[in-house]
Amino acid sequence: MSAESDWSCDANDAVQITIVQPDQHKPKTVSSFHPQFTYPIFGDEERIFGYKGLIIRLRFAAHDLRPQIHISYDEKFQAVDDAEPVDLLKALKQFLPEEAFSTLPEFENSLQEEDCKDFVPPGKLVHSYATRGRHYEIWAASLADPKVQLLLNRIQIMVSFFIEGGVPLATDDPEWTLERWMIYFVYEKVEPPTPSASKYSIVGYATTYRWWMYQRDRSDKPTVKNNAFPASEIRPGELPSRLRIAQFLILPPHQGTGHGVHLYTTIHTACFEDPTIVELTVEDPNEAFDVLRDTADYHILRPIFLKHNLNINPDPFSDSAKKSRRVPTSVLLPTKLLNDIRTTNKIAPTQFAHILEMFLLGQINIKHRHKGGANMSRLFIKKHRADDPDDRRYYWWRMLTKQRLYKRARDTLIQLKLSERHHALEETVSCVEDGYEQLLGVFNDREERLKAQQEEADASSSREHRLKRKLTIDDDDEEEEEDEEATVSKRPKA
């Protein structure tokens, strides 16, 4: 091992993040975890040179996210020529507020302040829910609120730690710009460990902003208007806009327990209820967020699709005398109805297409899909002339999916030979289908689990009802016996 590697360590391992609450003697650790990325702070290799036994402990108060950085190490490299240790404080000061560099006693004293118990997240409580016997709340507020700016400035280093390519927000922009942003905080309601402690503990947060969307009123004939100039002030919240999710983070200790779906659904509900919002979009989502988004949107749209009995028409040629090679999409699917559903629920077109494709695939009997062992060679030969309606639906499903994929990647595909183009589309459709099948499997398992839980709850309720009824009858019998005894006791003795 070289001398240089002796003095180099993995930055992701060296940084330890802890969420703490006050306790009787010293702060109590609620959760502890390491960052996923540190390259924005320590470079692409995510290595820190110049220390042995290095620990960078970053603490956050669970309620108001007040940070505190504490650095310790066993040995520090003595600079030789150009080789010198990384200036840790200089690197971290670009990502943390000045208060993070207070001493540990100052940080611990701040946790014991009397007003900590009165802390309430800024903004408005927009959703509350319970999971595994624990209670949670989601609060929403404008970034123009100074209290929100304070919390966001304290926690924004998490963007660099957990969102690849994420950029912290600038909170010193003009007010009209800040008004475009809405921040959502997820907190757990906990039992305060001390009388002066807060009952709130951070779980995660998300940021959204309004993106102005031009909408022309074609019913209004163009006319020359002599309006005053400059026009009266217009606030961003009054303009037709797309709502875009910019940052979305559930802290690692809370991941995998449904908080992300609750947070996304809360944002979608706010978008749905705001008449100035046209649709909800996401800025550069990663694969994990795509799964979360698909899960949430599927559960939003599936009941609507079922209500309208949506399915692919297996016989688009049945009413046509001439079997043209071109089949309009509107013959296979009710396109106007689908567009109405999409716009009403304010879901972006590509995302809506994903959910629709997944739903329609799930409506085809599993035996007639690739996953269930469908004869693909026969399908490619017979195509829309297959005997079984589900085989024909499956054929048209693949054609509809190819159509969407071709439109999305047309500029690339037209550069390929026709045979290569067909092969590329077939491979891509198969990959898309595999992804849908995995999600459908998760959804079906969840539905069966919920159904079993409901049946168990109903059975338990029925047992309790029968027991209560039996006890009531027994009590009535006892009362009747007591009445008889009372009657007998009142009779004159012989």
Side-chain angles (χ1 to χ4, degrees):
M1 182 180 290
S2 66
E4 183 176 348
S5 62
D6 290 343
W7 291 99
S8 179
C9 65
D10 187 315
N12 293 345
D13 290 337
V15 177
Q16 298 181 5
I17 305 166
T18 56
I19 307 298
V20 300
Q21 287 178 321
D23 211 341
Q24 298 299 335
H25 303 292
K26 62 179 183 178
K28 171 187 175 183
T29 298
V30 177
S31 58
S32 181
F33 47 95
H34 293 277
Q36 188 174 353
F37 311 109
T38 50
Y39 65 84
I41 304 173
F42 298 112
D44 292 343
E45 294 184 358
E46 298 185 325
R47 306 287 299 179
I48 299 175
F49 173 76
Y51 303 88
K52 287 184 179 180
L54 177 64
I55 298 177
I56 303 173
R57 184 170 285 107
L58 179 56
R59 298 178 177 88
F60 289 94
H63 64 297
D64 65 3
L65 311 180
R66 186 189 302 267
Q68 198 274 332
I69 192 83
H70 182 265
I71 300 171
S72 62
Y73 47 83
D74 297 332
E75 294 182 60
K76 184 175 181 179
F77 182 80
Q78 297 299 318
V80 178
D81 297 330
D82 293 337
E84 58 181 0
V86 173
D87 189 336
L88 298 172
L89 292 179
K90 181 180 178 181
L92 290 164
K93 279 184 176 179
Q94 301 178 48
F95 295 86
L96 288 167
E98 188 63 32
E99 62 182 338
F101 301 91
S102 62
T103 65
L104 184 56
E106 290 173 337
F107 175 72
E108 292 178 352
N109 290 337
S110 70
L111 295 178
Q112 302 291 348
E113 292 175 356
E114 187 65 24
D115 59 351
C116 288
K117 69 178 183 213
D118 300 322
F119 172 84
V120 175
K124 178 183 177 183
L125 175 61
V126 292
H127 181 56
S128 58
Y129 60 98
T131 299
R132 300 180 181 179
R134 299 164 71 170
H135 299 276
Y136 301 87
E137 293 180 352
I138 299 178
W139 293 71
S142 167
L143 187 53
D145 185 341
K147 294 180 180 178
V148 176
Q149 295 174 28
L150 177 63
L151 290 183
L152 200 61
N153 285 333
R154 288 173 169 177
I155 199 70
Q156 283 211 90
I157 193 172
M158 295 292 189
V159 173
S160 302
F161 283 157
F162 294 104
I163 301 178
E164 189 167 9
V167 179
L169 301 185
T171 57
D172 56 355
D173 281 339
E175 184 176 349
W176 69 269
T177 299
L178 298 178
E179 286 180 357
R180 296 172 56 212
W181 291 87
M182 186 67 71
I183 316 299
Y184 293 81
F185 293 101
V186 186
Y187 276 95
E188 181 182 359
K189 292 286 291 292
V190 298
E191 187 68 29
T194 65
S196 62
S198 171
K199 57 187 177 182
Y200 287 97
S201 180
I202 190 66
V203 171
Y205 79 101
T207 65
T208 68
Y209 67 97
R210 301 173 66 95
W211 189 267
W212 179 71
M213 182 177 181
Y214 173 71
Q215 287 189 305
R216 178 182 172 185
D217 185 359
R218 298 185 180 278
S219 64
D220 187 14
K221 294 182 180 179
T223 56
V224 177
K225 299 179 181 179
N226 296 320
N227 294 333
F229 184 84
S232 58
E233 185 178 17
I234 299 176
R235 312 307 298 184
E238 300 171 354
L239 300 172
S241 306
R242 289 185 175 94
L243 189 69
R244 183 166 294 179
I245 298 174
Q247 298 158 339
F248 193 102
L249 175 64
I250 301 298
L251 297 181
H254 299 280
Q255 291 176 4
T257 51
H259 300 297
V261 172
H262 278 283
L263 180 54
Y264 176 86
T265 306
T266 299
I267 295 172
H268 179 270
T269 300
C271 172
F272 181 80
E273 294 175 350
D274 188 337
T276 66
I277 298 294
V278 178
E279 66 185 28
L280 177 62
T281 63
V282 181
E283 183 178 297
D284 194 20
N286 60 22
E287 186 175 339
F289 186 84
D290 278 336
V291 172
L292 182 152
R293 185 187 185 191
D294 288 346
T295 302
D297 286 342
Y298 182 81
H299 288 295
I300 291 170
L301 292 174
R302 183 174 180 271
I304 303 172
F305 291 160
L306 290 173
K307 176 184 175 182
H308 291 283
N309 296 317
L310 280 177
N311 210 335
I312 298 172
N313 177 13
D315 302 307
F317 297 122
S318 58
D319 297 328
S320 174
K322 182 179 179 181
K323 297 185 178 181
S324 170
R325 294 184 62 186
R326 292 183 177 273
V327 178
T329 304
S330 58
V331 178
L332 293 167
L333 294 170
T335 50
K336 184 180 182 306
L337 172 63
L338 291 172
N339 187 61
D340 290 343
I341 294 173
R342 184 192 73 78
T343 54
T344 300
N345 290 276
K346 303 184 180 182
I347 295 177
T350 301
Q351 176 63 9
F352 185 82
H354 283 314
I355 305 303
L356 177 63
E357 286 170 4
M358 186 158 46
F359 173 81
L360 293 173
L361 179 65
Q363 295 304 103
I364 300 169
N365 190 297
I366 184 68
K367 295 186 297 183
H368 299 271
R369 297 169 1 213
H370 184 263
K371 181 182 178 181
N375 189 325
M376 302 302 292
S377 298
R378 181 184 299 171
L379 184 72
F380 291 148
I381 294 171
K382 302 202 74 172
K383 300 181 180 179
H384 60 271
R385 297 182 296 274
D387 297 331
D388 193 285
D390 270 341
D391 284 335
R392 299 197 294 275
R393 286 193 179 94
Y394 184 51
Y395 167 76
W396 289 119
W397 181 88
R398 293 180 67 89
M399 293 297 291
L400 288 166
T401 307
K402 286 178 190 176
Q403 175 181 256
R404 179 183 65 80
L405 294 171
Y406 179 79
K407 288 179 179 178
R408 189 182 68 178
R410 182 178 181 278
D411 292 342
T412 301
L413 289 171
I414 59 175
Q415 299 177 35
L416 303 177
K417 294 179 181 178
L418 188 60
S419 59
E420 295 174 343
R421 194 184 308 168
H422 287 166
H423 180 70
L425 279 173
E426 285 294 339
E427 281 194 338
T428 307
V429 167
S430 296
C431 289
V432 169
E433 183 178 354
D434 289 343
Y436 289 160
E437 292 286 12
Q438 290 180 15
L439 285 172
L440 285 170
V442 173
F443 298 154
N444 292 336
D445 289 345
R446 180 177 181 273
E447 292 294 330
E448 290 178 5
R449 189 166 60 251
L450 291 175
K451 183 179 178 181
Q453 291 174 355
Q454 185 61 47
E455 289 176 352
E456 184 179 349
D458 292 343
S460 176
S461 176
S462 177
R463 285 195 299 271
E464 290 178 2
H465 178 72
R466 288 198 302 270
L467 180 60
K468 184 177 180 181
R469 185 170 178 273
K470 181 179 183 300
L471 289 173
T472 303
I473 293 172
D474 290 345
D475 289 344
D476 290 343
D477 291 344
E478 289 176 4
E479 288 176 3
E480 289 176 3
E481 290 175 2
E482 290 175 358
D483 289 342
E484 286 183 8
E485 290 176 0
T487 304
V488 170
S489 65
K490 288 178 183 179
R491 292 173 183 169
K493 292 182 180 179

